[in-house]
Protein backbone atom coordinates (compact mmCIF):
# COMPACT_ATOMS: atom_id res chain seq x y z
CA UNK A 1 0.00 0.00 0.00
CA UNK A 2 1.25 3.45 -0.91
CA UNK A 3 1.28 5.78 2.13
CA UNK A 4 -0.14 9.30 1.80
CA UNK A 5 3.18 10.85 2.79
CA UNK A 6 4.62 9.84 -0.58
CA UNK A 7 3.05 12.88 -2.27
CA UNK A 8 4.98 15.26 -0.05
CA UNK A 9 8.13 13.22 -0.37
CA UNK A 10 7.76 13.27 -4.14
CA UNK A 11 8.02 17.06 -4.14
CA UNK A 12 11.13 16.93 -1.98
CA UNK A 13 12.65 14.35 -4.30
CA UNK A 14 11.84 16.41 -7.39
CA UNK A 15 13.82 19.40 -6.17
CA UNK A 16 16.70 17.23 -4.97
CA UNK A 17 16.93 15.36 -8.26
CA UNK A 18 17.26 18.65 -10.13
CA UNK A 19 20.19 19.79 -7.99
CA UNK A 20 22.90 17.25 -8.68
CA UNK A 21 26.51 18.49 -8.50
CA UNK A 22 28.45 19.38 -11.63
CA UNK A 23 30.69 16.82 -13.30
CA UNK A 24 34.02 16.58 -11.42
CA UNK A 25 37.31 17.64 -13.00
CA UNK A 26 39.57 15.11 -14.69
CA UNK A 27 42.78 14.48 -12.71
CA UNK A 28 44.55 13.26 -15.85
CA UNK A 29 46.57 15.88 -17.70
CA UNK A 30 45.89 15.72 -21.45
CA UNK A 31 43.72 12.61 -21.18
CA UNK A 32 42.15 13.52 -24.54
CA UNK A 33 45.60 13.71 -26.22
CA UNK A 34 44.71 17.07 -27.73
CA UNK A 35 48.25 18.20 -26.94
CA UNK A 36 50.03 15.18 -28.36
CA UNK A 37 51.58 12.95 -25.69
CA UNK A 38 52.41 15.77 -23.25
CA UNK A 39 51.69 14.97 -19.62
CA UNK A 40 52.37 11.26 -20.15
CA UNK A 41 55.48 9.17 -19.47
CA UNK A 42 56.09 7.08 -22.61
CA UNK A 43 57.89 3.75 -22.10
CA UNK A 44 56.71 1.72 -25.10
CA UNK A 45 55.96 1.92 -28.81
CA UNK A 46 53.66 4.94 -28.59
CA UNK A 47 52.97 7.75 -31.05
CA UNK A 48 50.35 10.43 -31.49
CA UNK A 49 47.56 9.80 -34.02
CA UNK A 50 44.99 12.14 -35.53
CA UNK A 51 42.40 9.34 -35.09
CA UNK A 52 40.15 10.03 -32.11
CA UNK A 53 37.05 8.75 -30.36
CA UNK A 54 35.40 12.12 -30.87
CA UNK A 55 37.70 14.98 -31.74
CA UNK A 56 41.01 14.26 -33.45
CA UNK A 57 43.84 13.01 -31.26
CA UNK A 58 44.72 9.73 -29.55
CA UNK A 59 47.70 7.62 -28.50
CA UNK A 60 48.65 4.87 -30.93
CA UNK A 61 50.22 1.98 -29.01
CA UNK A 62 52.10 -0.73 -30.86
CA UNK A 63 53.01 -4.31 -29.98
CA UNK A 64 56.17 -5.73 -28.44
CA UNK A 65 57.70 -9.00 -29.64
CA UNK A 66 57.36 -11.81 -27.12
CA UNK A 67 56.08 -9.52 -24.35
CA UNK A 68 52.60 -9.74 -22.87
CA UNK A 69 51.59 -6.77 -20.77
CA UNK A 70 54.41 -4.27 -21.33
CA UNK A 71 53.88 -0.79 -19.83
CA UNK A 72 53.46 1.83 -22.57
CA UNK A 73 52.04 4.97 -20.94
CA UNK A 74 51.75 6.23 -17.38
CA UNK A 75 50.88 9.35 -15.44
CA UNK A 76 51.11 10.18 -11.73
CA UNK A 77 48.28 12.23 -10.19
CA UNK A 78 47.49 13.35 -6.62
CA UNK A 79 44.61 11.65 -4.81
CA UNK A 80 42.95 11.84 -1.41
CA UNK A 81 43.03 8.85 0.93
CA UNK A 82 39.71 7.09 1.38
CA UNK A 83 38.13 8.84 -1.62
CA UNK A 84 36.35 6.97 -4.42
CA UNK A 85 37.41 7.55 -8.03
CA UNK A 86 35.98 6.58 -11.42
CA UNK A 87 38.36 5.42 -14.17
CA UNK A 88 37.07 5.88 -17.74
CA UNK A 89 38.62 5.60 -21.19
CA UNK A 90 37.93 4.97 -24.87
CA UNK A 91 39.88 2.56 -27.05
CA UNK A 92 39.90 1.26 -30.61
CA UNK A 93 41.40 -2.17 -31.31
CA UNK A 94 41.53 -2.66 -35.11
CA UNK A 95 41.35 -6.13 -36.63
CA UNK A 96 44.56 -7.65 -37.95
CA UNK A 97 44.93 -11.14 -39.48
CA UNK A 98 48.56 -11.24 -38.30
CA UNK A 99 48.26 -10.11 -34.69
CA UNK A 100 45.82 -10.03 -31.78
CA UNK A 101 45.70 -8.16 -28.52
CA UNK A 102 44.24 -5.27 -26.57
CA UNK A 103 45.05 -2.79 -23.83
CA UNK A 104 44.40 -2.56 -20.09
CA UNK A 105 44.27 0.49 -17.85
CA UNK A 106 45.28 0.08 -14.22
CA UNK A 107 45.51 2.36 -11.18
CA UNK A 108 48.35 1.84 -8.70
CA UNK A 109 48.04 3.62 -5.34
CA UNK A 110 51.14 5.18 -3.72
CA UNK A 111 51.93 6.66 -0.30
CA UNK A 112 54.20 9.38 -1.75
CA UNK A 113 53.52 11.95 -4.44
CA UNK A 114 55.97 10.84 -7.15
CA UNK A 115 54.55 7.31 -7.64
CA UNK A 116 58.05 5.79 -7.39
CA UNK A 117 57.55 3.78 -4.19
CA UNK A 118 56.20 0.24 -3.95
CA UNK A 119 52.45 0.49 -4.62
CA UNK A 120 50.03 0.19 -1.72
CA UNK A 121 47.78 -1.79 -4.01
CA UNK A 122 46.32 -2.04 -7.51
CA UNK A 123 42.79 -1.44 -8.72
CA UNK A 124 41.11 -3.97 -11.04
CA UNK A 125 41.97 -3.72 -14.73
CA UNK A 126 39.86 -1.81 -17.23
CA UNK A 127 40.28 -4.10 -20.25
CA UNK A 128 39.78 -3.41 -23.95
CA UNK A 129 40.08 -6.65 -25.98
CA UNK A 130 39.31 -6.87 -29.69
CA UNK A 131 35.57 -7.08 -30.40
CA UNK A 132 34.21 -7.31 -33.94
CA UNK A 133 33.25 -5.17 -35.69
CA UNK A 134 36.14 -2.91 -34.67
CA UNK A 135 34.95 0.45 -33.34
CA UNK A 136 35.68 2.90 -30.56
CA UNK A 137 34.49 1.54 -27.21
CA UNK A 138 33.92 3.53 -24.00
CA UNK A 139 34.30 1.72 -20.69
CA UNK A 140 34.52 2.58 -17.01
CA UNK A 141 35.38 1.23 -13.58
CA UNK A 142 33.42 3.08 -10.89
CA UNK A 143 34.25 3.74 -7.26
CA UNK A 144 37.89 2.72 -6.97
CA UNK A 145 38.68 3.60 -3.37
CA UNK A 146 42.10 5.04 -2.56
CA UNK A 147 43.72 3.29 0.43
CA UNK A 148 43.93 5.14 3.74
CA UNK A 149 47.64 5.99 3.23
CA UNK A 150 47.42 6.96 -0.45
CA UNK A 151 48.51 10.41 -1.61
CA UNK A 152 49.01 9.68 -5.34
CA UNK A 153 47.97 7.25 -8.05
CA UNK A 154 49.75 6.08 -11.17
CA UNK A 155 47.45 5.49 -14.15
CA UNK A 156 49.03 2.80 -16.35
CA UNK A 157 48.28 1.83 -19.95
CA UNK A 158 49.46 -1.74 -20.58
CA UNK A 159 48.99 -3.27 -24.05
CA UNK A 160 49.20 -6.99 -24.71
CA UNK A 161 49.69 -8.61 -28.09
CA UNK A 162 50.69 -11.75 -29.95
CA UNK A 163 51.78 -12.22 -33.54
CA UNK A 164 53.85 -9.86 -35.65
CA UNK A 165 54.50 -6.70 -33.56
CA UNK A 166 54.27 -4.32 -36.51
CA UNK A 167 50.81 -5.71 -37.34
CA UNK A 168 49.34 -4.76 -33.94
CA UNK A 169 48.09 -1.35 -32.85
CA UNK A 170 45.58 -0.05 -30.34
CA UNK A 171 44.36 3.54 -30.01
CA UNK A 172 43.66 5.08 -26.59
CA UNK A 173 41.69 8.28 -25.99
CA UNK A 174 39.73 10.29 -23.42
CA UNK A 175 41.34 8.78 -20.31
CA UNK A 176 39.71 10.11 -17.14
CA UNK A 177 40.24 9.65 -13.42
CA UNK A 178 37.59 11.66 -11.60
CA UNK A 179 36.16 11.80 -8.11
CA UNK A 180 33.14 9.50 -7.97
CA UNK A 181 29.84 11.37 -7.82
CA UNK A 182 28.01 11.46 -4.52
CA UNK A 183 24.77 10.31 -6.17
CA UNK A 184 24.50 7.14 -8.25
CA UNK A 185 21.64 6.06 -10.48
CA UNK A 186 20.62 2.46 -11.12
CA UNK A 187 18.43 1.75 -14.15
CA UNK A 188 15.75 -0.90 -14.62
CA UNK A 189 15.73 -0.85 -18.45
CA UNK A 190 12.18 -2.12 -18.87
CA UNK A 191 9.19 -2.76 -16.63
CA UNK A 192 5.49 -3.23 -17.25
CA UNK A 193 2.08 -3.83 -15.79
CA UNK A 194 0.17 -4.44 -19.02
CA UNK A 195 -2.00 -6.90 -20.91
CA UNK A 196 -0.08 -8.96 -23.47
CA UNK A 197 -0.95 -9.71 -27.09
CA UNK A 198 -2.38 -13.14 -26.26
CA UNK A 199 -4.40 -12.39 -23.12
CA UNK A 200 -1.63 -12.69 -20.56
CA UNK A 201 -0.98 -10.04 -17.94
CA UNK A 202 2.62 -8.92 -17.42
CA UNK A 203 3.63 -7.72 -13.97
CA UNK A 204 7.01 -6.45 -12.69
CA UNK A 205 8.24 -6.90 -9.13
CA UNK A 206 10.98 -4.65 -7.74
CA UNK A 207 12.97 -5.41 -4.58
CA UNK A 208 15.17 -2.70 -3.04
CA UNK A 209 17.46 -3.16 -0.04
CA UNK A 210 19.40 -0.60 1.95
CA UNK A 211 22.40 -2.63 3.27
CA UNK A 212 23.96 0.18 5.31
CA UNK A 213 23.35 0.67 9.06
CA UNK A 214 21.72 4.09 8.69
CA UNK A 215 18.60 5.52 7.11
CA UNK A 216 18.81 6.95 3.60
CA UNK A 217 16.57 8.51 0.97
CA UNK A 218 16.05 6.76 -2.37
CA UNK A 219 14.56 8.57 -5.38
CA UNK A 220 12.49 6.73 -8.00
CA UNK A 221 11.74 8.11 -11.48
CA UNK A 222 9.51 6.41 -14.06
CA UNK A 223 10.55 7.05 -17.68
CA UNK A 224 7.91 6.47 -20.35
CA UNK A 225 7.77 6.28 -24.11
CA UNK A 226 7.80 9.71 -25.76
CA UNK A 227 5.58 11.70 -26.11
CA UNK A 228 3.94 10.36 -22.93
CA UNK A 229 4.72 12.49 -19.87
CA UNK A 230 6.03 10.70 -16.78
CA UNK A 231 7.21 13.74 -14.82
CA UNK A 232 4.56 13.16 -12.13
CA UNK A 233 5.82 9.59 -11.64
CA UNK A 234 8.66 10.71 -9.39
CA UNK A 235 8.91 10.15 -5.66
CA UNK A 236 11.29 9.67 -2.76
CA UNK A 237 11.19 7.09 0.02
CA UNK A 238 13.20 6.89 3.21
CA UNK A 239 14.63 3.43 3.85
CA UNK A 240 15.52 2.50 7.40
CA UNK A 241 18.85 0.87 8.36
CA UNK A 242 19.18 -2.46 6.45
CA UNK A 243 15.55 -2.22 5.37
CA UNK A 244 14.23 -4.19 2.38
CA UNK A 245 11.04 -3.31 0.50
CA UNK A 246 9.26 -5.39 -2.11
CA UNK A 247 6.92 -3.75 -4.64
CA UNK A 248 5.04 -6.82 -5.89
CA UNK A 249 3.39 -4.96 -8.77
CA UNK A 250 5.68 -2.01 -9.49
CA UNK A 251 3.35 0.36 -11.30
CA UNK A 252 0.40 0.43 -8.85
CA UNK A 253 2.42 -0.25 -5.69
CA UNK A 254 5.16 2.36 -6.24
CA UNK A 255 3.83 4.86 -8.79
CA UNK A 256 0.07 4.57 -8.21
CA UNK A 257 -0.59 3.62 -11.84
CA UNK A 258 -2.93 0.78 -12.77
CA UNK A 259 -0.95 -0.08 -15.87
CA UNK A 260 1.94 1.15 -17.96
CA UNK A 261 5.40 0.39 -19.27
CA UNK A 262 8.76 2.12 -19.20
CA UNK A 263 12.14 2.27 -17.50
CA UNK A 264 12.80 3.12 -13.85
CA UNK A 265 15.74 5.15 -12.50
CA UNK A 266 16.73 4.67 -8.85
CA UNK A 267 18.98 7.41 -7.47
CA UNK A 268 20.68 7.29 -4.07
CA UNK A 269 23.53 8.79 -2.05
CA UNK A 270 26.41 6.39 -2.73
CA UNK A 271 28.73 8.19 -0.33
CA UNK A 272 27.39 6.14 2.59
CA UNK A 273 27.48 2.80 0.75
CA UNK A 274 25.78 0.79 -2.00
CA UNK A 275 22.12 0.13 -2.70
CA UNK A 276 20.89 -3.31 -3.79
CA UNK A 277 18.03 -3.65 -6.28
CA UNK A 278 16.62 -6.61 -8.21
CA UNK A 279 13.61 -7.06 -10.47
CA UNK A 280 11.61 -9.82 -12.11
CA UNK A 281 8.65 -9.94 -14.48
CA UNK A 282 6.02 -12.65 -14.69
CA UNK A 283 2.80 -13.44 -16.48
CA UNK A 284 -0.38 -13.47 -14.44
CA UNK A 285 -2.67 -15.84 -16.30
CA UNK A 286 -5.20 -18.00 -14.50
CA UNK A 287 -5.15 -20.78 -17.10
CA UNK A 288 -1.49 -20.63 -18.18
CA UNK A 289 0.65 -19.33 -15.29
CA UNK A 290 4.23 -18.57 -16.25
CA UNK A 291 7.55 -18.87 -14.49
CA UNK A 292 8.70 -15.28 -14.95
CA UNK A 293 12.16 -13.86 -15.62
CA UNK A 294 14.85 -11.85 -13.90
CA UNK A 295 15.55 -8.31 -15.17
CA UNK A 296 18.91 -6.76 -14.25
CA UNK A 297 19.02 -3.40 -12.51
CA UNK A 298 22.04 -1.75 -14.11
CA UNK A 299 24.70 0.76 -13.10
CA UNK A 300 25.36 3.74 -15.39
CA UNK A 301 28.47 2.18 -16.95
CA UNK A 302 26.35 -0.70 -18.33
CA UNK A 303 24.88 1.62 -20.99
CA UNK A 304 26.27 0.71 -24.41
CA UNK A 305 26.34 1.73 -28.07
CA UNK A 306 26.61 -1.79 -29.54
CA UNK A 307 25.37 -5.24 -28.57
CA UNK A 308 24.40 -8.61 -29.99
CA UNK A 309 21.48 -10.71 -28.73
CA UNK A 310 21.44 -14.45 -29.41
CA UNK A 311 19.44 -17.48 -28.26
CA UNK A 312 16.14 -16.03 -29.47
CA UNK A 313 14.25 -19.26 -30.17
CA UNK A 314 14.31 -23.04 -29.85
CA UNK A 315 12.82 -23.43 -33.33
CA UNK A 316 9.13 -23.89 -32.60
CA UNK A 317 6.91 -21.96 -34.99
CA UNK A 318 3.44 -20.44 -35.13
CA UNK A 319 1.27 -20.31 -32.00
CA UNK A 320 3.64 -22.78 -30.32
CA UNK A 321 6.69 -20.63 -31.08
CA UNK A 322 8.16 -17.40 -29.78
CA UNK A 323 7.89 -13.73 -30.58
CA UNK A 324 10.57 -11.13 -29.90
CA UNK A 325 10.08 -7.63 -28.53
CA UNK A 326 13.00 -5.19 -28.50
CA UNK A 327 13.56 -1.82 -26.92
CA UNK A 328 15.89 0.65 -25.25
CA UNK A 329 16.02 3.41 -22.66
CA UNK A 330 17.93 6.61 -23.42
CA UNK A 331 19.49 8.05 -20.23
CA UNK A 332 21.05 10.97 -22.11
CA UNK A 333 19.88 14.62 -22.17
CA UNK A 334 19.89 14.56 -26.00
CA UNK A 335 17.88 12.57 -28.59
CA UNK A 336 19.46 9.29 -29.71
CA UNK A 337 18.77 7.11 -32.76
CA UNK A 338 18.82 3.38 -32.06
CA UNK A 339 18.81 0.54 -34.59
CA UNK A 340 17.99 -3.18 -34.42
CA UNK A 341 19.07 -5.49 -37.25
CA UNK A 342 17.74 -9.05 -37.41
CA UNK A 343 20.28 -11.56 -38.78
CA UNK A 344 19.66 -15.17 -39.76
CA UNK A 345 22.14 -17.92 -38.97
CA UNK A 346 23.45 -17.76 -42.54
CA UNK A 347 24.09 -14.02 -42.31
CA UNK A 348 21.06 -12.66 -44.19
CA UNK A 349 19.72 -9.48 -42.59
CA UNK A 350 16.18 -8.18 -42.30
CA UNK A 351 15.15 -4.58 -42.77
CA UNK A 352 16.77 -2.37 -40.08
CA UNK A 353 14.32 -1.14 -37.45
CA UNK A 354 15.10 2.34 -36.14
CA UNK A 355 13.65 4.57 -33.44
CA UNK A 356 14.56 8.10 -32.37
CA UNK A 357 14.48 8.32 -28.59
CA UNK A 358 13.85 11.67 -26.95
CA UNK A 359 15.99 12.56 -23.92
CA UNK A 360 15.21 10.19 -21.03
CA UNK A 361 12.67 8.28 -23.12
CA UNK A 362 11.90 4.55 -23.30
CA UNK A 363 10.65 2.59 -26.28
CA UNK A 364 9.63 -0.96 -27.16
CA UNK A 365 9.21 -2.52 -30.60
CA UNK A 366 6.60 -5.27 -30.41
CA UNK A 367 7.06 -8.25 -32.75
CA UNK A 368 10.47 -7.09 -33.97
CA UNK A 369 10.78 -9.82 -36.61
CA UNK A 370 7.49 -8.76 -38.22
CA UNK A 371 8.58 -5.12 -38.49
CA UNK A 372 11.97 -6.20 -39.85
CA UNK A 373 10.20 -8.36 -42.48
CA UNK A 374 12.35 -11.24 -41.26
CA UNK A 375 9.66 -13.92 -41.05
CA UNK A 376 9.31 -16.21 -38.01
CA UNK A 377 11.96 -16.44 -35.31
CA UNK A 378 14.33 -19.28 -36.30
CA UNK A 379 17.11 -21.10 -34.45
CA UNK A 380 20.46 -19.40 -34.85
CA UNK A 381 18.98 -15.96 -35.50
CA UNK A 382 20.45 -12.97 -33.69
CA UNK A 383 19.80 -9.26 -33.30
CA UNK A 384 22.55 -6.66 -33.62
CA UNK A 385 21.97 -3.36 -31.82
CA UNK A 386 23.61 0.02 -32.46
CA UNK A 387 23.11 3.55 -31.16
CA UNK A 388 24.87 6.88 -31.43
CA UNK A 389 25.17 7.31 -27.64
CA UNK A 390 25.28 4.79 -24.76
CA UNK A 391 21.79 3.55 -23.92
CA UNK A 392 20.21 0.52 -22.21
CA UNK A 393 18.98 -1.92 -24.91
CA UNK A 394 16.91 -5.02 -24.15
CA UNK A 395 15.32 -7.97 -25.94
CA UNK A 396 12.45 -10.14 -24.71
CA UNK A 397 11.74 -13.58 -26.18
CA UNK A 398 8.14 -14.50 -25.33
CA UNK A 399 6.71 -18.03 -25.41
CA UNK A 400 3.43 -17.85 -27.33
CA UNK A 401 1.93 -20.75 -25.38
CA UNK A 402 2.45 -19.60 -21.78
CA UNK A 403 3.22 -15.94 -22.40
CA UNK A 404 6.42 -16.48 -20.42
CA UNK A 405 9.05 -13.83 -21.24
CA UNK A 406 12.81 -14.38 -21.22
CA UNK A 407 15.12 -11.38 -20.81
CA UNK A 408 18.07 -11.76 -23.17
CA UNK A 409 21.31 -10.27 -21.90
CA UNK A 410 23.17 -8.06 -24.40
CA UNK A 411 26.58 -9.39 -25.34
CA UNK A 412 29.61 -7.61 -26.66
CA UNK A 413 28.91 -6.91 -30.31
CA UNK A 414 30.33 -9.43 -32.75
CA UNK A 415 29.87 -10.48 -36.37
CA UNK A 416 27.27 -13.31 -36.24
Amino acid sequence: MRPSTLLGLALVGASALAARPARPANLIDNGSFDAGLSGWVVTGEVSWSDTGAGAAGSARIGGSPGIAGALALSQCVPVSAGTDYDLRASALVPYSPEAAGGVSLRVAWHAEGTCTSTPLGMAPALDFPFVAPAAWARRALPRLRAPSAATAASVLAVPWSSGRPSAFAVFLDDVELVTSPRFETLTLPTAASVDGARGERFRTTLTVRNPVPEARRVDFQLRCAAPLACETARLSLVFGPRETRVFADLFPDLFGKGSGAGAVEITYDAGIGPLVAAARAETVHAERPGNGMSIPVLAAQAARTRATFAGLSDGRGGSAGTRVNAGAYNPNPVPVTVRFVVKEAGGAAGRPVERVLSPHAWTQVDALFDEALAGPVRPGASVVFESAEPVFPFLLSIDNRSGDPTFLEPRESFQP
Side-chain angles (χ1 to χ4, degrees), residues 61-163:
I61 304 174
S64 299
I67 297 177
L71 179 63
L73 283 171
S74 63
Q75 187 172 144
C76 185
V77 299
V79 297
S80 298
T83 300
D84 289 343
Y85 294 91
D86 292 353
L87 176 65
R88 299 190 287 258
S90 298
L92 168 65
V93 185
Y95 169 74
S96 170
E98 301 179 69
V103 66
S104 295
L105 266 72
R106 300 292 296 267
V107 175
W109 310 106
H110 293 268
E112 44 71 44
T114 61
C115 300
T116 55
S117 61
T118 301
L120 298 169
M122 299 280 288
L126 180 61
D127 293 329
F128 291 88
F130 171 75
V131 178
W136 282 99
R138 183 75 173 166
R139 296 186 178 178
L141 281 176
R143 299 205 168 274
L144 307 176
R145 179 156 297 180
S148 58
T151 63
S154 182
V155 178
L156 315 170
V158 181
W160 72 89
S161 65
S162 62

Side-chain angles (χ1 to χ4, degrees), residues 4-399:
S4 59
T5 54
L6 292 188
L7 293 177
L9 288 171
L11 296 178
V12 174
S15 60
L17 283 169
R20 298 299 183 217
R23 185 173 179 174
N26 186 11
L27 300 181
I28 300 293
D29 179 22
N30 189 34
S32 61
F33 298 98
D34 293 339
L37 300 177
S38 67
W40 294 90
V41 176
V42 178
T43 53
E45 295 293 326
V46 183
S47 59
W48 185 83
S49 171
D50 58 5
T51 299
S58 66
R60 182 188 184 278
I61 304 174
S64 299
I67 297 177
L71 179 63
L73 283 171
S74 63
Q75 187 172 144
C76 185
V77 299
V79 297
S80 298
T83 300
D84 289 343
Y85 294 91
D86 292 353
L87 176 65
R88 299 190 287 258
S90 298
L92 168 65
V93 185
Y95 169 74
S96 170
E98 301 179 69
V103 66
S104 295
L105 266 72
R106 300 292 296 267
V107 175
W109 310 106
H110 293 268
E112 44 71 44
T114 61
C115 300
T116 55
S117 61
T118 301
L120 298 169
M122 299 280 288
L126 180 61
D127 293 329
F128 291 88
F130 171 75
V131 178
W136 282 99
R138 183 75 173 166
R139 296 186 178 178
L141 281 176
R143 299 205 168 274
L144 307 176
R145 179 156 297 180
S148 58
T151 63
S154 182
V155 178
L156 315 170
V158 181
W160 72 89
S161 65
S162 62
R164 189 162 59 88
S166 61
F168 172 82
V170 60
F171 297 85
L172 183 65
D173 199 3
D174 297 331
V175 182
E176 296 181 336
L177 186 68
V178 299
T179 305
S180 300
R182 175 181 172 185
F183 294 96
E184 294 280 359
T185 296
L186 302 175
T187 299
L188 176 61
T190 186
S193 290
V194 295
D195 293 324
R198 296 177 181 264
E200 64 273 82
R201 176 76 178 176
F202 293 102
R203 180 179 70 183
T204 303
T205 298
L206 176 66
T207 301
V208 180
R209 173 171 170 74
N210 171 29
V212 302
E214 58 183 282
R216 72 184 336 162
R217 195 192 74 211
V218 181
D219 301 331
F220 298 86
Q221 171 73 68
L222 176 62
R223 301 293 192 177
C224 295
L228 301 177
C230 283
E231 289 304 310
T232 56
R234 174 187 295 172
L235 56 93
S236 297
L237 298 176
V238 175
F239 281 65
R242 299 190 174 92
E243 181 184 4
T244 298
R245 297 193 193 186
V246 179
F247 306 97
D249 195 349
L250 176 62
F251 279 76
D253 292 355
L254 183 59
F255 296 113
K257 296 179 178 292
S259 63
V264 178
E265 291 181 325
I266 305 170
T267 302
Y268 64 100
D269 184 348
I272 60 175
L275 187 76
V276 180
R280 70 185 308 271
E282 61 184 356
T283 52
V284 184
H285 197 299
E287 299 177 359
R288 300 189 301 275
N291 297 317
M293 65 176 181
S294 174
I295 307 176
V297 182
L298 302 169
Q301 63 269 18
R304 58 183 69 215
T305 58
R306 299 184 299 154
T308 297
F309 298 87
L312 310 184
S313 171
D314 61 5
R316 290 177 287 108
S319 61
T322 56
R323 63 188 189 272
V324 172
N325 297 341
Y329 168 62
N330 174 23
N332 301 287
V334 296
V336 175
T337 299
V338 301
R339 169 186 285 196
F340 296 90
V341 179
V342 174
K343 293 195 174 184
E344 299 294 342
R351 181 178 67 181
V353 175
E354 291 189 353
R355 294 289 189 272
V356 178
L357 291 177
S358 301
H360 303 291
W362 171 93
T363 192
Q364 178 169 295
V365 180
D366 294 331
L368 173 66
F369 276 61
D370 290 346
E371 185 163 339
L373 303 178
V377 184
R378 298 182 179 89
S382 61
V383 174
V384 176
F385 169 82
E386 296 177 335
S387 68
E389 298 290 339
V391 301
F392 294 97
F394 61 88
L395 230 69
L396 307 176
S397 178
I398 303 172
D399 189 312

